[in-house]
Amino acid sequence: MTRPHIEFIQSQALPWGPTPWRGIYAGTEFKILSRDADTGAMSALVRYPPGWRCDIEGRLSEDEELFVLGGCLNVNSTHYSDRCYAHLPAGYPRQSAFSEDGAVVLTFFSGEPRTNAGEPLAIGYDQTRLVERID
């Protein structure tokens, strides 16, 4: 089943909430824009506060697409600023991430994202699906 059709979202009217996941998203805030009840796939705004840092090595169980709406975010050695895009396939390894001045990122997950929170995740990733950065 697909996500239900939504006419229009006033995202500024939605409250920020603490991240529902541990690990690589700890300390961030979320606004869930849409969610598929069957698969857990979702679109969300993720807010990284100024000075946010994650040095936990980790992987996500699902694909993640990100589009920076404001601020800057660094994942591994890649710098994402305003209007940068990436597609990080499920299993893509993350050694570190940080945001010095904070960032708001439109993020799409292909399913309910689970992180391994520093523990081994028994999946690799498909390098042909990686879009590391488009500015």
Side-chain angles (χ1 to χ4, degrees):
M1 181 173 175
T2 60
R3 288 180 247 183
H5 178 72
I6 298 171
E7 289 295 326
F8 191 74
I9 292 177
Q10 296 277 343
S11 64
Q12 67 274 21
L14 296 173
W16 287 101
T19 181
W21 307 290
R22 298 177 308 133
I24 60 178
Y25 290 101
T28 63
E29 294 179 305
F30 274 69
K31 288 185 180 188
I32 305 298
L33 303 177
S34 68
R35 175 186 229 123
D36 184 298
D38 295 333
T39 68
M42 71 178 73
S43 56
L45 292 175
V46 182
R47 182 164 63 181
Y48 298 84
W52 178 84
R53 178 171 218 79
C54 179
D55 291 317
I56 298 172
E57 289 190 30
R59 298 172 186 255
L60 279 182
S61 61
E62 306 296 331
D63 292 350
E64 175 185 17
E65 289 181 87
L66 58 94
F67 183 77
V68 178
L69 298 174
C72 296
L73 175 67
N74 290 274
V75 177
N76 297 339
S77 298
T78 305
H79 179 77
Y80 301 99
S81 56
D82 288 351
R83 293 176 275 178
C84 283
Y85 168 86
H87 176 268
L88 308 177
Y92 178 75
R94 297 162 194 240
Q95 288 79 33
S96 66
F98 68 91
S99 181
E100 288 182 11
D101 299 322
V104 174
V105 180
L106 177 61
T107 307
F108 303 96
F109 298 102
S110 63
E112 180 73 34
R114 291 174 285 118
T115 68
N116 61 340
E119 299 172 9
L121 186 65
I123 61 171
Y125 77 98
D126 184 350
Q127 292 183 3
T128 64
R129 299 182 61 240
L130 174 64
V131 178
E132 196 163 40
R133 182 178 188 271
I134 295 176
D135 187 357

